[in-house]
Amino acid sequence: MLVLYAGGSASGKSEAAEAAAAAAAREAKRLLIYLATMERGGREAAARIEKHRAQRAEKGFVTVEKARAVHELTLPADAVVLLEDLGNLVGNELFSPEAGARSEETVLCALRESLLALETKCAQLILVGALLAEEPRYGDPDTERYVRLFSALQNALAARADAVYFAELGAVRCLKRKEEP
């Protein structure tokens, strides 16, 4: 099962996704995995990582860090996995040393295939996305490339997802939910 939570900065999307993942794991008595995609580097990143770990310490998550190539992970087939977040994953892949020579389409396909392979390795994959319409655009080619790639990936995942939720000002509403057979 694939679920997407999207929204702007400080919209409540992460908290809603964490609560949904914890509830799904608890209800089905499954392992709860927090897949952190933020690359480690520098004091600010380390402080942010520790802040996030402390925020979810009581929720029962097992934290796995993987900044790129998430399909390479070995996961329990019955796990509930929360990937935080798509924006980091896209940036990590797009701006990796290997990505420079690859086209946007090649990077997009690799990301999509990696996430779909990850979905097959667990019972439920919950993705935290973003709302790029709220993000400023500077006309920088790298920023524009990132926005195009992220938007294309998130839109493709939303179209395929079993459920899509939108968070705004702490309120979360369902945009799409496939009926269970």
Side-chain angles (χ1 to χ4, degrees):
M1 177 176 206
L2 180 64
V3 178
L4 173 66
Y5 282 80
S9 179
S11 64
K13 65 186 178 290
S14 294
E15 295 83 358
E18 286 178 16
R26 190 172 44 254
E27 182 179 307
K29 295 180 174 54
R30 293 186 167 150
L31 181 64
L32 179 58
I33 297 174
Y34 185 98
L35 177 51
T37 61
M38 184 175 182
E39 290 212 359
R40 288 187 169 268
R43 210 173 319 193
E44 186 176 314
R48 194 165 174 203
I49 288 168
E50 288 313 309
K51 175 187 166 200
H52 288 168
R53 279 184 185 260
Q55 286 174 332
R56 63 181 182 275
E58 303 294 320
K59 297 179 182 174
F61 283 98
V62 172
T63 300
V64 174
E65 294 182 15
K66 186 80 169 134
R68 298 178 44 220
V70 295
H71 64 280
E72 295 174 352
L73 288 169
T74 300
L75 300 168
D78 66 342
V80 174
V81 177
L82 172 68
L83 184 144
E84 175 84 41
D85 70 15
L86 282 176
N88 284 336
L89 186 64
V90 170
N92 297 342
E93 291 286 357
L94 184 61
F95 300 115
S96 70
E98 302 83 22
R102 300 185 319 189
S103 70
E104 280 181 43
E105 187 59 35
T106 301
V107 175
L108 176 62
C109 285
L111 278 162
R112 189 172 44 241
E113 288 172 14
S114 183
L115 288 162
L116 296 178
L118 179 66
E119 180 193 2
T120 67
K121 294 182 176 192
C122 58
Q124 186 171 2
L125 177 59
I126 299 174
L127 306 171
V128 177
L131 180 64
L132 289 178
E134 291 184 353
E135 303 297 327
R137 292 194 179 194
Y138 298 102
D140 173 69
D142 286 338
T143 302
E144 294 299 319
R145 185 173 186 221
Y146 171 84
V147 169
R148 278 192 308 273
L149 189 64
F150 180 91
S151 296
L153 178 64
Q154 184 167 268
N155 288 342
L157 292 167
R160 190 186 177 300
D162 296 290
V164 178
Y165 296 91
F166 177 72
E168 185 175 39
L169 302 172
V172 179
R173 62 186 163 104
C174 182
L175 299 181
K176 169 187 173 182
R177 183 159 187 83
K178 291 183 184 172
E179 294 300 318
E180 305 266 340

